[in-house]
């Protein structure tokens, strides 16, 4: 009998069992129940567990006891089973905002783990636009509440929300347009926020920490900068910009480094972004990942992050690519106005299958996470039947190099006579959601994507029909946020309401 075997032999036996077998064995007798809860056993199990675990912030599985890991693994399997069902069941539904004023939420974003939600809400006051920024605690979804809020003059552009290594502070970096492009930086104490609760409007709005103005490069004053996306690295902000040519020429994508402490800015040489028709920036370790579309291919280019504010560009600095047409940096007498060089390209990864079909659309690139994983979902609307493609990238990032661990793609069918909107995909590419709009009926439904890392199959299904038995319909949906690990989904409605949905 198994219970009579020495522990070292039992450990060898357990390493060949999957998690369901271990759970069944624990039910057979007291001895195997105790042994099956051994920390060492569960550390080995979760090291090869294919599903993401809802771990405490910045905690490694090896730091948690076996009983806690078992609970998290069971939760992950229940979520996965429900998500893959033809009819996924909503296990929890809560109204986060019940605002009948019609001031709907434009954008939402989760902090990793789905316990904190940031929202941006545009309001029109005295013929001027304002954006109300709020942070919500969702630790207890039944008692979710606003813990921080401020109002910014201008229209929201983009945002990044970063949590400190200890998890006690969050830094909110938001870009808005208030006649000109502005970046605001706010520091929020999450520990103090837990004990704070605002109503619809805060009684004492927090004072903004910093406000930075984005102005055109002195060498190109005719290019009006428009904030596209924000990323952060240590004490450096990285801003992707759409440069609108006010002289009537074609616009272009550019990258800007910002020092939030001093307000200093440094433009990256335009040649680094010149070949991208779409561009996202992600940061892992000391490396800058330029992600987007180049000549109909999905491309990831890796550069080491420079220190643009300590070492100015000087004539003769090695260049990774030729300067943009009309730019001759060596002739610039003032180095403060020179563009920053990213140095040589350290690595380039091209999507495993070329996007040879015209009319594709990169709907979403996954947000940055603590682990160097990246996913993207693309939709093809110019072919029959309509199809989509899931791209997944994993990297080994060390102080010496960036090496791909896994690069894969999977095509899957989508509905004809329809288009995808508000797509959200997790960094692991395990789960995704989007709003599908039917061109003929003008009805929306919420779709889901489930990728199985064991079988390498992607399954698409309907999460909600156009007329669900819920207090809303997908046609009312204006914004959404999705957390891949917990499966938590937030839907913002045109009538001002926001709902939290859990599936485990």
């Amino acid at each position: 009998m198994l219970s009579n075997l020495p522990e070292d032999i039992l450990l060898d036996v357990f390493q060949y069992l999957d998690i369901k077998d271990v759970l069944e064995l624990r039910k057979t007798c007291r001895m195997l129940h105790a042994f099956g809860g051994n920390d060492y056993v569960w550390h080995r199990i979760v090291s090869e567990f294919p599903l993401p675990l809802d771990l405490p912030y910045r905690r490694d599985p090896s730091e948690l006891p076996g009983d806690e890991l078992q609970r998290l693994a069971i939760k992950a399997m229940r979520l996965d089973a429900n998500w893959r069902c033809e009819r996924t069941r909503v296990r929890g539904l809560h109204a986060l905002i019940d605002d009948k004023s019609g001031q709907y939420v434009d954008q939402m974003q989760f902090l990793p783990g789905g316990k904190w939600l940031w929202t941006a809400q545009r309001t029109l006051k005295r013929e001027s636009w304002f954006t109300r920024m709020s942070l919500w605690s969702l630790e207890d979804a039944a008692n979710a509440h606003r813990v921080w809020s401020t109002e910014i003059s201008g229209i929201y552009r983009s945002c990044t929300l970063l949590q400190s290594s200890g998890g006690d502070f969050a830094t909110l970096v938001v870009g808005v347009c208030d006649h000109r492009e502005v970046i605001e930086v706010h520091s929020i104490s999450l520990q103090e926020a837990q004990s704070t609760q605002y109503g619809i409007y805060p009684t004492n709005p927090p004072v903004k920490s910093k406000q930075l103005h984005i102005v055109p490069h002195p060498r190109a004053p005719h290019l009006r900068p428009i904030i596209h996306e924000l990323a952060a690295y240590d004490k450096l902000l990285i801003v992707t910009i759409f440069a609108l040519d006010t002289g009537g020429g074609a616009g272009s994508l550019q990258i800007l480094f910002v020092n939030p402490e001093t307000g200093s800015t440094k433009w990256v040489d335009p040649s680094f972004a010149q070949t991208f028709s779409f561009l996202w920036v992600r940061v892992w370790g000391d490396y800058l990942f330029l992600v987007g579309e180049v000549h109909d291919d999905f491309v990831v280019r890796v550069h080491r992050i420079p220190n643009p504010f300590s070492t100015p560009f000087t004539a003769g600095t090695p260049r990774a690519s030729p300067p943009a047409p009309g730019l001759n940096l060596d002739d610039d007498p003032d180095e403060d106005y020179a563009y920053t060089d990213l140095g040589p390209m350290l690595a380039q990864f091209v999507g495993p299958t070329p996007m040879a079909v015209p009319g594709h659309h990169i709907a979403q690139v996954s947000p940055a996470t603590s682990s160097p994983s990246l996913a993207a979902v693309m939709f093809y609307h110019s072919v029959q039947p309509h199809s989509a493609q899931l791209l997944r990238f994993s990297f080994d990032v060390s102080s010496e190099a960036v090496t791909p661990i896994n690069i894969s793609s999977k095509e899957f069918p989508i509905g004809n006579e329809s288009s995808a909107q508000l797509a959200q995909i997790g960094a692991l590419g395990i789960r995704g959601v989007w709003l599908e709009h039917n061109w003929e009926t003008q009805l929306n439904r919420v779709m889901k994507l489930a990728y199985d890392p064991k079988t390498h199959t992607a399954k698409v299904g309907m999460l909600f029909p156009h007329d669900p038995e819920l207090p809303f319909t997908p046609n009312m949906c204006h914004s959404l946020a999705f957390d891949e690990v917990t499966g938590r989904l937030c839907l913002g409605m045109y009538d001002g309401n926001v709902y939290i949905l859990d599936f485990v």
Side-chain angles (χ1 to χ4, degrees):
M1 294 179 63
L2 283 177
S3 57
N4 296 327
L5 293 176
E7 285 195 0
D8 57 336
I9 302 297
L10 270 179
L11 286 173
D12 287 338
V13 172
F14 268 66
Q15 72 175 329
Y16 293 102
L17 303 178
D18 63 27
I19 190 169
K20 292 182 180 179
D21 294 332
V22 172
L23 293 175
E24 289 299 320
L25 271 179
R26 293 199 70 187
K27 299 177 182 178
T28 58
C29 69
R30 291 182 179 179
M31 180 270 172
L32 289 177
H33 182 273
F35 187 84
N38 184 289
D39 292 355
Y40 180 75
V41 169
W42 279 95
H43 290 159
R44 293 185 66 174
I45 288 174
V46 299
S47 66
E48 299 181 1
F49 193 59
L51 301 175
L53 297 176
D54 184 16
L55 298 168
Y57 184 70
R58 295 284 179 109
R59 292 288 298 277
D60 189 88
S62 62
E63 301 175 26
L64 299 180
D67 287 345
E68 177 68 7
L69 290 175
Q70 175 179 308
R71 184 186 68 82
L72 294 176
I74 292 174
K75 180 182 177 182
M77 291 191 300
R78 286 176 175 169
L79 171 61
D80 188 62
N82 188 27
W83 194 258
R84 293 181 186 282
C85 279
E86 183 175 349
R87 183 178 179 182
T88 300
R89 296 186 178 276
V90 177
R91 303 298 187 187
L93 171 64
H94 304 280
L96 178 65
I97 301 178
D98 186 9
D99 186 355
K100 300 303 182 183
S101 64
Q103 295 177 353
Y104 51 79
V105 171
D106 293 274
Q107 293 287 338
M108 299 187 287
Q109 179 183 325
F110 280 115
L111 275 174
K115 305 297 189 300
W116 301 92
L117 177 73
W118 159 88
T119 61
Q121 195 173 22
R122 283 186 295 181
T123 60
L124 184 61
K125 294 183 178 180
R126 299 179 298 277
E127 299 183 353
S128 297
W129 282 104
F130 292 83
T131 298
R132 180 173 296 112
M133 314 288 294
S134 300
L135 184 67
W136 302 81
S137 172
L138 308 184
E139 184 73 33
D140 179 4
N143 297 296
H145 56 280
R146 190 192 314 253
V147 297
W148 181 94
S149 187
T150 191
E151 199 169 73
I152 301 172
S153 176
I155 299 175
Y156 163 85
R157 293 286 198 209
S158 180
C159 165
T160 185
L161 192 61
L162 306 170
Q163 201 166 350
S164 64
S165 57
D168 52 348
F169 274 88
T171 300
L172 173 68
V173 184
V174 58
V176 296
C177 176
D178 185 19
H179 303 296
R180 54 182 173 175
E181 302 298 301
V182 177
I183 293 176
E184 291 201 358
V185 183
H186 300 264
S187 183
I188 308 168
S189 172
L190 298 180
Q191 290 181 335
E192 293 179 7
Q194 287 285 23
S195 60
T196 307
Q197 182 165 339
Y198 288 129
I200 292 181
Y201 304 108
T203 54
N204 297 301
V207 179
K208 59 179 174 286
S209 303
K210 289 182 175 25
Q211 188 178 75
L212 311 170
H213 295 276
I214 307 299
V215 297
H217 190 283
R219 295 283 303 275
H222 62 291
L223 297 180
R224 177 192 168 192
I226 299 174
I227 296 172
H228 172 247
E229 193 182 35
L230 298 163
Y233 165 76
D234 195 18
K235 296 182 179 180
L236 187 68
L237 296 179
I238 305 166
V239 188
T240 50
I241 299 283
F242 178 76
L244 179 65
D245 192 337
T246 57
S252 61
L253 292 167
Q254 296 186 357
I255 303 170
L256 177 69
F257 289 121
V258 179
N259 185 332
E261 298 294 328
T262 64
S264 301
T265 60
K266 200 73 172 179
W267 290 91
V268 172
D269 187 293
S271 59
F272 288 93
Q274 195 173 43
T275 55
F276 286 91
S277 53
F278 296 94
L279 177 63
W280 290 263
V281 170
R282 298 291 181 263
V283 175
W284 286 288
D286 296 328
Y287 298 97
L288 184 69
F289 288 68
L290 305 183
V291 183
E293 180 186 336
V294 178
H295 305 309
D296 289 335
D297 283 326
F298 187 89
V299 173
V300 180
R301 291 178 178 170
V302 185
H303 297 267
R304 189 175 291 276
I305 298 178
N307 193 338
F309 301 109
S310 64
T311 307
F313 178 89
T314 56
T317 300
R319 306 185 61 82
S321 54
L327 295 176
N328 187 353
L329 302 185
D330 294 347
D331 295 338
D332 193 346
D334 192 340
E335 290 177 349
D336 288 340
Y337 289 168
Y339 289 94
T340 292
D341 196 292
L342 294 180
M345 184 169 62
L346 303 180
Q348 175 170 285
F349 310 102
V350 180
T353 57
M355 297 188 293
V357 180
H360 62 266
H361 167 52
I362 302 177
Q364 184 62 275
V365 170
S366 60
T369 60
S370 57
S371 60
S373 299
L374 179 72
V377 60
M378 295 172 292
F379 295 92
Y380 301 86
H381 295 137
S382 61
V383 296
Q384 292 291 338
H386 290 182
S387 63
Q389 187 178 21
L390 170 68
L391 294 179
R392 303 171 70 247
F393 294 79
S394 295
F395 307 99
D396 179 14
V397 176
S398 67
S399 59
E400 304 296 330
V402 176
T403 307
I405 300 175
N406 178 48
I407 299 178
S408 64
S409 69
K410 189 66 182 179
E411 293 186 3
F412 53 91
I414 58 175
N416 288 330
E417 307 301 333
S418 63
S419 59
Q421 304 169 356
L422 305 179
Q424 298 280 306
I425 187 74
L428 298 176
I430 299 291
R431 302 182 185 101
V433 296
W434 63 87
L435 202 67
E436 183 186 82
H437 177 72
N438 188 285
W439 303 332
E440 292 186 353
T441 65
Q442 296 299 303
L443 295 176
N444 297 339
R445 57 181 186 168
V446 181
M447 305 299 291
K448 63 179 180 178
L449 169 68
Y451 178 81
D452 188 343
K454 281 188 174 180
T455 61
H456 305 289
T457 57
K459 182 179 179 181
V460 176
M462 182 175 62
L463 192 60
F464 304 129
H466 64 86
D467 56 348
E469 297 178 357
L470 295 169
F472 61 83
T473 67
N475 269 47
M476 298 167 60
C477 184
H478 174 70
S479 61
L480 60 84
F482 178 65
D483 184 72
E484 175 184 50
V485 175
T486 62
R488 175 164 280 177
L489 176 65
C490 275
L491 298 171
M493 304 298 162
Y494 279 107
D495 62 3
N497 294 335
V498 174
Y499 297 96
I500 312 167
L501 294 94
D502 288 311
F503 300 93
V504 64

